[in-house]
Amino acid sequence: MMQAIYDRLKDRFQLGALDVRSRKGLAFVDLRREFLRPVLTELRDVEGFTHLILLTAVDWIEDERFQLTYLLNNRQKNLDLGLRLRLDRNLAIGETIHDLWPTAATYQRELREMFGIAFPGSPRVDEEFILEGWTDMPPYRRDFDTLAYSQQTHADREGRETSDPREFMKQILYPKD
Amino acid sequence: MFSFQPDRSQYPAPGPDGKLEIDLETGQYLKLWQGPNHPGMTGNMSVELTVCGDEVVEGKTHVGYLHRGFEKLMERRSFIQCFPIVCRICVPEPDFNEYCYAAAVENLAGIEVPEYANWMRTLILEMGRFNSYMMAIGGMSGALGLGVVGQWLTYVRDIMLDRFEELTGARIYHMFILPGGVRGHLPEGFKDRMEEVLKTAERYLADVDKVMFSNAVYKRRTKGVGYIDPKLFEPYGVTGPNARAGGVAKDVRKDAPYLVYDQLDFEVPTETASDIWARTNVRRRDIDVSIDLIRQILKKFPKGGEVMAEIPNVLHWKIPRGETYIKGESSRGEYGYYLVTDGSGYPRRVNVRGPSYTHAMALLELLIPGTNISDVAALMVSLHTYPPEIER
Amino acid sequence: MSFKDVLSPFTAWKHVLETPVTIKDPLTREAADRYRGFHKNDIELCIGCSSCEAICQNAAIDMVPVKDPKEGDSGLRPQIDYGRCCWCALCVDICMTGSLTMSNEYIWFDEDPDAFRFIPGVDAKSWDSSEKGYRREGGRRLSGTERVEMREMEPDLRIGNFDEIVAGYDRAEAVLEADRCVECGLCVATCPAHMDIPDYIKTIREGDYEHGLELLYNSNPFSEVCGRVCTHNCETACAARHEGDPIAIRWLKRHITDQVPYDRYVDIVGKPDLAKTGQKIAIIGAGPGGLTAAFDLARMGHAVTVYEEKEKPGGMMRYGIPEYRLPYESLDRDIGVIEAMGVKIKCGVRIGKDISMEKLKADNDAVVLAIGLHLGRSTRVPGSESPDVEKAVELLRRITAGEEVPVPKKVVVIGGGNVAMDIARSMARLQKQRHGEVGITVTALESFDHFLADEEEVVESREEGIEILDSRGPQEVITVKSGKNKGKVKGLRTWRVDSIFDEKGRFNPHYDEGDEMVHDGEMVIEAIGQVSDVSLLGEKLTEALEWNRGRVKIDHDGRTSEPWLWAAGDCVKGPDVINAVADGHRVAQSINQVLVAMREAKA
C-alpha cells in the first residue's frame, strides 16, 4: 500500500528511495526542500495523511546538516510516513507549515529554541518556549555538551572517589611489573 | 486553508506578527497567572491569562518548570541506561515511555519479544491507563470543587499501585518493561488480588457516577463548555479521548493494534458533544473498557514462558543505523517514540511524542479566549494534560 | 437535567460512617516482596568487578577498597550514594555474581545526609538479613552466560594424525564471545604477563584486529602460542565464571592472530626506532622465557644473542607440546617476529661444551639463564631402569625431532598432568598410524576430583580411546623374567591411592595394598615431572651461585646472586609458557635498568 502511494508521488516530487527497514506500516523517504509543501499538501489532501504526528530534527553534525523529520499518519490505511528533509546546518532555515497544520507552529517554536532552526513566518516562533533566559547555544545541538555544562553549573558531592579494579589490583599486587 | 481563529472583535486586534497588543494601563485588562502553583493546574505548568472582567481574552501556555532535557540526556546514555529515565517523562502513566522506548530499541536491534512479555506489557499498560484515568476523573471533579471524588479515586488508584508494587517492585516508576522483554512473572495469587481491586473500583465508580456524572452542578458547568470543533482535530493533532468525545473513534489500540490488543475484545467508547462533559464521559467509559481488558488479559494470560528475549551484553550494546517510530494509545491519546540510531552505543536522537504536546499548547491557547476564568481549570483538565511530556 | 440530578450527589453521605481507608501507621507498612528498596551485598560473594558502577546511569556507585585484592577479587566493593540512586536495580540485574540484591526496606530517617551514602554489606544495616526485596528473576540476562562452543576436529578424524584439533573461532563466533566480556579487568592481575585482556577483546568487537595484535605483542611475543596452549589463569579469574562460563580469553587471543595476515605482523608490532646501545646480552635457551627477554632487550636497543642447544628454537613449546595442540608454523611465526626485532638465535650450540660460561660472561654485559626443564624425573620403582621405560619429555622431543621411536601396541603412562596427556595422545596417534588402533592406559596418582591435567585434555584423551585410571600408585614395572624376551617390559603393577599427602602436607602417598592392578603394556612412560639440566654451569659457578631447593636462587627481578647473571622461565619457576613470558619481561626490565646505569656510570 505504501509502495503504491510512493509510486504515485515518486517521479512528480523526485522522492528519494523508500526506506521500509524498520517496522510494518512505517516508511521513511528523503524529500527535496522545494517539494516539501506540495508533497505535504498532496499527502494530506489526496492520500489521506491528515495527521501530523510530529515534526522534529536530528543533528547530523558530522555531515554538517540537520534532518527535519515530518511524521504523518493515514489512519484509515494504518500507515505512518516519515519525510526526511536536509537542512544545511550552517544555514538552518526551515519552511513553516503552520498553515497546513496549525499545531506545527509549536513544533517549529521548539525547534527554533532547541536546535536553532529558524522558521520565518511561523507564529510566535521567537518566543521562549521551554527555556527562559537561556544564553548558551541551542541545547539540543550535538555540540552542546551536557556533561560539561553540568560540571560548570553544579559542584560534585564531596568525598566521592572511585577506583578501577584493574588499576587498583595493579597498584596493590604488582606495582613493579 | 484553515481559519479557526477565536472571535476577538470586542478586543484589540492582533498585530501582523500575531501578537495581541493589550494596554494594561487602561485598567480594562488584567494579567492573571494560573499556575504553576495552582490547585486547578495539571502539574508543573501555567497559563498566562489576560482577562477582561471574568472573561478571558487571551491565554498563553508556559512550560519549562521541570525541563530536564530527557531527550538530550539519552544521547549520552547507553541503550540500557536510557531505560531507567524514560519513565520519568510521565509520572501518572510512566509505562508508555517504557513500552515505546523498549519497542523502538527492539525494532531497530531486530529483537523478537517473547509472547509472555507481550501479555505482561499489555497488562501493565492497561493498569497504567486505569490509574491515569483515576487521576483525570478525580482531577476533573476537583477542578470544579467536587473534592470527594478526587479522594475516592485516589484511594482506588492507591490500591492499584499496590498491585503495581507487588508486580513490578515499585509504585510510581515501575521500570519493569525493558528492552528485550519484562523483568518477571506474575506473582502467586496476583489475579485474585487484582480482581478485588477491580471490584472495589467498580463500587467506587458507581458512587462517582451518582455523585459526579449525575450531578446537576457538574452537568451545568461542563455541558456545552470547552467545545472543540471536530474539524480542528486533524489540524491540531488531537488524539485519544479528546477526539473520541467528538465522534472520531481514534484509538491506536484499534487503528494499529500492538502487543496483544488484536486478541482482546473491546469497543472504543465515543461521544459526540465534544465538550468537557463528553471528554470526561469518554474517559469514564474507557475505565470500564480498561477494567474489562485487565480481566480478559488475566484470563488469557500465558501459564508461563520466557520473560526476556536474548539480548546482547548491555554494557556495549550497539544498534545499527536506522530510525523508527513506535506508538501506542495512552490514556491521553497517541504516545510515541521516534528513535534514531547511528550504529553507536548511544541513541542519536530520541523524540517523545506526548499527546499533551499538541493538546495543551496550540489547542488550549485556541480554546481559552472567551471562556470564563472559573472554567479555565476545567477546560485544561478536560484535555488531560501532563506537562512533562510537553517539555521532555 | 432533572431533579434527580440535584439529589443524586447527596448519596455520598452514605459513606459518612464508614471506616476510613487510610493506612493508620504508614511508617510500619511493609513493602511488597519484590520492592526495590535499599541495597544489600553479599560481601564474600562480591568480586568487586564494578559492573554495577558501569551500568549505573546516575553515577551513584563508587568502587571503594574494602579488603586486599586476590585472584579474581579486586577487593573493591560498591558504595552507593542514595542522593543519586534512582532504584532502577540495573546494578542488581548486571551483577556478575548475584551478590548485589535489594531489600524491601524503604523507610529510614537520618539527619545526616552523608548517612545515605554507604557500602552495602560492609556498613551494617537493619535490612541486611531481610529475605525480601528485589532479586532478578531467572539469573543474569544482561550479559551472556554461555560460551560460544569451539569447533574441534572429530575424534576419529584426528586420532590418526598430528593435525591441529581446534578450529578457531570465525568472526561471528568471536564477536559473540567477545560481547560477553564486561571489561572489569580482574583477569589482568591474574595473567602472569598482565596482558591487556579487556582491551584486546574490545578490538574484536570493534573489528580492529591490527590494534588487537599490537596490544597482544606489547605484552606477549608468544601470542600465537598462548592463543593455543596457554594455561589461561585469566579464565579462572573471569567475572563471568560465577554465573556461567568464563570468557574464552585464550581462543579470542588466537582469533586476533588468525585474523591478521602474517606479513603485517612486524609492521604492527613495530620495532622502536632507538639508537643502538652497543651493549650485549647472551641468553641461554631459546624457550619462551629466553626469547621474551630477547624480544624486549632487542627492542630496547641492545644486541642480543640467544644460544640454543637443540636444532631449532622454541624449547618446550616445540619439543614438549605436541603438534596437534600447537602447530610448528604458529611457533615459527612468533619466533619470526622476535628475530625481526634483531635477535640472533644460534641453534645447535651447547653452552658449557661449545662455549664456556666464562667466555659468555666475558663477552657480554649480561647473561640470562633460561634453560627450562628438560630432564624427566623417574619413579624409581623396581624395574624402572629397564630400557623399555621411557621418560615423557625425552620421548616427546624425539617425536618432534622426527626420530624413530618404538611404538608398541600397548603402552602404560604414569602421571596425571598435562605432560602425561601429551605423551599419551602422541603415542596414541603413532599407534593408530602403525597398528590401526589405540592401546594406552594412563595411571594417575591423583583422583579425578583433584586432577592435575586440564579437564579438556582428559575429555579429549578419552574421546581418542585412551583409558585413564585415577588414584593408582605405581609399585613395579613388571618385566619378563626369563626366555628370549627376558628383561622386556610386560606391564605395570599399581595399588590404589588412599591419600597422597600426610597431615603436614608433605608428599607421602598411602596405598590400599589390597586393591592391586596390573596394567599390560610393552612400554611404560614416566610423566611425573621434570628437572633442569644445570651441568652447563660448571663446578665453579655452581659453587658460587646461591640455590633454593635445587633451583638457582633469584630475586624478584630474576637476578641471581651473581650480578651478571639472570635466570628466567621454567628452570626457576613452574612449567608454564605464560609464566616464562612474564619472567622474560621481568628479567629484561631488570637487565635494562642495570645496563642503563652502567652506561650512565661510564659517561
Side-chain angles (χ1 to χ4, degrees), chain C residues 363-383:
Chain C
D363 290 351
N364 291 283
D365 297 291
V367 177
V368 179
L369 192 67
I371 53 176
L373 299 168
H374 288 269
L375 292 180
R377 282 181 194 270
S378 171
T379 57
R380 294 173 195 245
V381 295

Side-chain angles (χ1 to χ4, degrees), chain B residues 135-156:
Chain B
M135 283 185 91
I137 307 269
M140 191 68 235
S141 76
L144 295 168
L146 186 54
V148 68
V149 171
Q151 291 165 12
W152 287 345
L153 297 187
T154 300
Y155 170 66
V156 176

Side-chain angles (χ1 to χ4, degrees), chain C residues 20 32 38-39 72 92 133 187 196 259 281 299 344 352 402 426 428 446 521:
Chain C
F38 287 106
H39 293 77
V92 175
C187 45
D196 300 322
Q259 294 294 307
I281 297 132
R299 283 158 66 90
K344 274 194 218 104
S426 294
E446 297 77 18

Side-chain angles (χ1 to χ4, degrees), chain B residues 209-228:
Chain B
D209 287 342
K210 289 198 190 101
V211 172
M212 180 175 168
F213 289 91
S214 304
N215 183 325
V217 178
Y218 173 77
K219 283 187 178 176
R220 279 292 288 273
R221 291 201 56 186
T222 56
K223 286 203 172 188
V225 180
Y227 172 72
I228 309 174

Side-chain angles (χ1 to χ4, degrees), chain B residues 77 165 167 185 207 210 316, chain C residues 8 15 32 34 57 137 181:
Chain B
R77 274 166 174 73
E165 182 183 329
L167 177 60
H185 290 87
D207 282 340
K210 289 198 190 101
H316 27 72
Chain C
S8 177
H15 295 293
R34 279 185 193 177
Q57 62 95 13
E137 228 187 90
C181 172

Side-chain angles (χ1 to χ4, degrees), chain B residues 248-367:
Chain B
V248 181
K250 262 194 170 188
D251 189 323
V252 185
R253 291 177 292 180
K254 278 283 184 210
D255 298 340
Y258 52 102
L259 294 172
V260 299
Y261 282 108
D262 54 353
Q263 300 172 55
L264 301 170
D265 181 26
F266 66 104
E267 292 296 325
V268 177
T270 55
E271 298 277 343
T272 51
S274 202
D275 53 9
I276 296 178
W277 188 87
R279 288 196 284 278
T280 314
N281 212 34
V282 161
R283 294 195 179 98
R284 168 66 192 88
R285 289 167 58 200
D286 212 19
I287 294 174
D288 293 340
V289 173
S290 237
I291 290 175
D292 183 49
L293 283 175
I294 291 173
R295 286 197 172 115
Q296 283 187 46
I297 293 164
L298 286 177
K299 203 171 163 191
K300 294 182 177 175
F301 215 84
K303 292 277 174 292
E306 277 295 322
V307 292
M308 278 278 287
E310 262 189 46
I311 56 172
N313 184 343
V314 295
L315 292 182
H316 27 72
W317 190 358
K318 291 183 176 169
I319 294 182
R321 188 168 175 151
E323 55 192 306
T324 192
Y325 173 70
I326 298 291
K327 59 183 173 178
E329 182 72 15
S330 76
S331 64
R332 286 140 293 131
E334 177 175 349
Y335 209 98
Y337 266 58
Y338 171 57
L339 174 66
V340 183
T341 50
D342 56 10
S344 74
Y346 307 89
R348 169 55 73 129
R349 174 96 175 98
V350 185
N351 184 222
V352 183
R353 193 242 185 246
S356 303
Y357 189 88
T358 51
H359 295 161
M361 294 297 300
L363 180 68
L364 179 64
E365 289 178 357
L366 181 73
L367 297 177

